[in-house]
Structure formats: structure tokens, C-alpha cells
Amino acid sequence: VFGSDRFGAGASRDVVAVKSTSDYGIETAGNDLILLKLSSPAPKEWRVVELPLGLLPSKEEQEEARRKGSPFYPDGLGFPSLATYGYGQQSTKGTTDPAAYSAGQLRRLGVSVQTEIRPWAAGFLTKPVDRNTGTCAGDSGGGALAFVQDPKGRGIRQFLVGVQAVASLPCEENQQVFVNPAAFSEFLLQASRDLGSPLQPTINWREYS
């Protein structure tokens, strides 16, 4: 979710339960992938983004995707430009000296994918589209959004395809590693059930065939 003003009156929610990949014996870099259960429904100002666990064919579905002429075979999403959000920081010294940390303004950034996004790959690499931009260490946890045409012609849909795990230094014109949630579908489905709010499928690659 993304809020236009996360610090305004009534814009916060308490977290009452957490599930991490490590709770299920799954190790990721930094265990960045977690699910949170909120104490009450999110504020209406928060914009929900789809989690497309079935958007791309799995390894086992590649032959079926080929036969059906899927636009996601053989290259998946290809190497698209994605949108992410981050504060960055005004001095790279802040990565090692907390006293020197100075955050910028929350902004939307374009990043281009450098390695394939696949449902069996735990992560993918990106770099900023525009010069003199980038994300930083404090921006970990930010989402990477893909914009994909709805298969029934109902406009553009926004899909969460990555969660930032790490960014290189300095924090401009750098590289970012995003964790791919689709690679952890089993965890997300099981953990959401255990939290009492099971995830529901929203899209499947077969709808585009």
C-alpha cells in the first residue's frame, strides 16, 4: 500500500501480527519479505496495489505457455521500466554515520530492469532510468510497480513485482536488488492464511493467451 500522507491524523495503523520467511524456514537476503496484519482496515486514502502471483508462467508451465502463444513466453516481462518510491538521502555519508543522515523528499523514481523477472527467481537487478537519481539503504522495503494492460481492455493495472532489498553506493545512478514476491508464493499464501486474511488470486497469465 502507498499513502499520500502516512503521518497525518488517522493515517497510521498498529501491527498486531507479523510473519516472515524465516518463520517458515525460508532464508532470503536480510529476510526482507514479511507479511503484516493490521489492527483495523487500512485508511481509505491508502492505495492498494495488486500482488500478481500468477502473472507469469512457472517453469512447469513454460511448454503450455509456448503452445498457447502467451506474450509472456519465452521472455516473461522482458526488461521493462518500473516505478518505485524512495526518500534517498542528501549525503552518502549517512549510510555509515547516522548523524550525517539527511533524507530527501519522498519521490517516485523510474528504474529499468537489468535481469529477468521470473517466478522462480528470488530477485532481480535494476538501475535508475534518469541520471542523478537512485534509491538508498533507507529505501529498502519500497515496492517496484509494473504497469500492464488489462487482458480485457479495462485499462492499465499496477502490479507489485518487487520489494527493494538492497541498493549499492553511492545513492545516485546506482543499482538496486528487488526481491520477487512471486518466487515466494508458497510462503505468501500459507502465511496469509495463518494470519487469518488469505490472499486471493487477482490475475493469471492464461487470461492473456
Side-chain angles (χ1 to χ4, degrees), residues 85-92 95 101-107 109 133-140 164 171-172 174:
Y85 294 80
Y87 286 91
Q89 59 179 309
Q90 296 166 337
S91 170
T92 54
T95 57
Y101 182 82
S102 179
Q105 297 294 314
L106 182 64
R107 64 203 188 284
L109 304 168
T133 65
T135 63
C136 221
D139 296 325
S140 292
Q164 183 172 307
C171 299
E172 292 182 347
N174 57 344

Side-chain angles (χ1 to χ4, degrees), residues 6 45 53 59 68 89 98 120 131 139 143 177 207:
R6 297 177 299 165
E45 294 83 5
L53 299 183
K59 272 186 177 179
K68 291 185 174 180
Q89 59 179 309
W120 58 83
R131 292 177 58 86
D139 296 325
V177 174
E207 296 177 46

Side-chain angles (χ1 to χ4, degrees), residues 11-209:
S12 64
R13 291 292 185 270
D14 291 334
V15 174
V16 296
V18 176
K19 292 292 184 182
S20 166
T21 47
S22 61
D23 296 332
Y24 295 82
I26 303 169
E27 292 301 321
T28 64
N31 288 317
D32 286 296
L33 201 58
I34 63 172
L35 284 183
L36 307 177
K37 183 173 183 176
L38 304 182
S39 59
S40 59
K44 63 180 181 180
E45 294 83 5
W46 289 14
R47 175 161 52 89
V48 177
V49 177
E50 288 185 68
L51 183 62
L53 299 183
L55 178 62
L56 300 177
S58 67
K59 272 186 177 179
E60 295 73 24
E61 296 168 335
Q62 290 294 296
E63 177 57 26
E64 179 186 354
R66 184 192 66 78
R67 291 197 312 269
K68 291 185 174 180
S70 170
F72 301 121
Y73 177 87
D75 298 323
L77 281 179
F79 298 90
S81 291
L82 308 175
T84 188
Y85 294 80
Y87 286 91
Q89 59 179 309
Q90 296 166 337
S91 170
T92 54
K93 293 180 180 178
T95 57
T96 56
D97 180 4
Y101 182 82
S102 179
Q105 297 294 314
L106 182 64
R107 64 203 188 284
R108 175 172 165 153
L109 304 168
V111 292
S112 60
V113 174
Q114 303 298 297
T115 58
E116 290 183 333
I117 301 175
R118 296 290 195 177
W120 58 83
F124 57 91
L125 185 69
T126 68
K127 69 177 184 180
V129 171
D130 298 325
R131 292 177 58 86
N132 302 318
T133 65
T135 63
C136 221
D139 296 325
S140 292
L145 305 181
F147 302 90
V148 180
Q149 178 68 46
D150 180 82
K152 296 183 179 179
R154 295 173 294 194
I156 300 297
R157 292 168 69 167
Q158 299 181 84
F159 295 130
L160 178 70
V161 296
V163 178
Q164 183 172 307
V166 67
S168 63
L169 296 175
C171 299
E172 292 182 347
E173 301 180 31
N174 57 344
Q175 295 181 321
Q176 302 80 28
V177 174
F178 285 87
V179 172
N180 180 4
F184 300 93
S185 295
E186 236 179 90
F187 156 71
L188 292 168
L189 295 170
Q190 183 62 54
S192 66
R193 287 194 292 267
D194 293 345
L195 288 171
S197 300
L199 289 171
Q200 301 298 323
T202 65
I203 195 72
N204 188 276
W205 64 268
R206 294 180 180 88
E207 296 177 46
Y208 288 88
S209 299

